[in-house]
Amino acid sequence: MAEFDAAAFGATLGRAFSENGIGGMLSFDRVKTLTAMTERLLTENEKYNLTALTDPGKIALLHYADCALITKYMKKGATVIDVGCGAGFPTLPLAVLRPDLQLLAVDSTEKKVAYVRETARLFGLDNVTCLTARAEEIAADGNYRERFDYATARAVTEMRSLAELLLPFVKVGGEMIAMKGKNAAYETAGAKRALAILGGEVVAIDETPLRSAAYGEQSHAAVRIAKRKKTPAAYPRAWAQISKKPL
Ligand code: SAH
């Protein structure tokens, strides 16, 4: 790993947040935590292949600011399940920036979950719980089913399958928040039938791009889907069916 410049990273992070109107979310302590977390991510990345982004400026923008932007949709003290958390996105930035949230980070890959769990422990993020599991295999469990105010996912799967994975976890009255790329509106339109079956309804698609003087506009999309009705017990199906025959 190239020498990590903590002071420079702090400044870069501040710029990425203020360029996107969320500078107020940062404090001295939060910058310190996110900086140390980034140094750890880059070090561990050499062993575990956790992130494709290694440029600190891009990490500040495309990991932290990107994830921070969805917090505005979350009410105070809410419970959140992050499905396919990978190296902890959005879980870890959410945990630092919104200590009021209670987060459950789920991923099917044990080494990624181990990384997130250890990172949360090292940085004293006691609002994070981690679980190694496939989402569709824990969704019938009464500890998880329809127990969360929000279910989030970034870069996990296409909207129809994603809705089947996420909506079962959301309480009626809560929301699924899907972090998507350029195809957000198209994918969401294609998921109309799936949402009707699963009890979801699109609230809004926010496609305001990330602003950055250094990197230019970057796509960012948050699709908010409200849970209006209980999800029928038949869903989610096994992954083989979800992927072969999306709703
Ligand atoms: N959300 C992270 C990681 C995206 S990669 C980020 O944005 O950086 C997608 C992750 O989803 C992988 O870590 C993969 O293991 C996980 N995943 C895919 N399908 C899953 C499922 N059905 N249940 C749980 N995790 C899943």
Side-chain angles (χ1 to χ4, degrees), residues 97-108:
L97 298 167
R98 286 286 304 271
D100 60 294
L101 299 175
Q102 289 297 328
L103 297 138
L104 176 65
V106 178
D107 202 285
S108 51

Side-chain angles (χ1 to χ4, degrees), residues 84-86 89 107-109 112 133-136 154-156 165:
C85 65
F89 299 102
D107 202 285
S108 51
T109 305
K112 293 185 179 172
R134 293 199 59 90
E136 68 277 16
R154 189 180 78 159
V156 174
L165 290 182

Side-chain angles (χ1 to χ4, degrees), residues 24-44:
M25 293 195 86
L26 292 175
S27 63
F28 179 81
D29 283 344
R30 289 177 184 178
V31 170
K32 209 169 112 181
T33 301
L34 292 172
T35 300
M37 206 178 262
T38 305
E39 186 159 18
R40 171 171 158 77
L41 176 69
L42 291 171
T43 309
E44 297 295 301

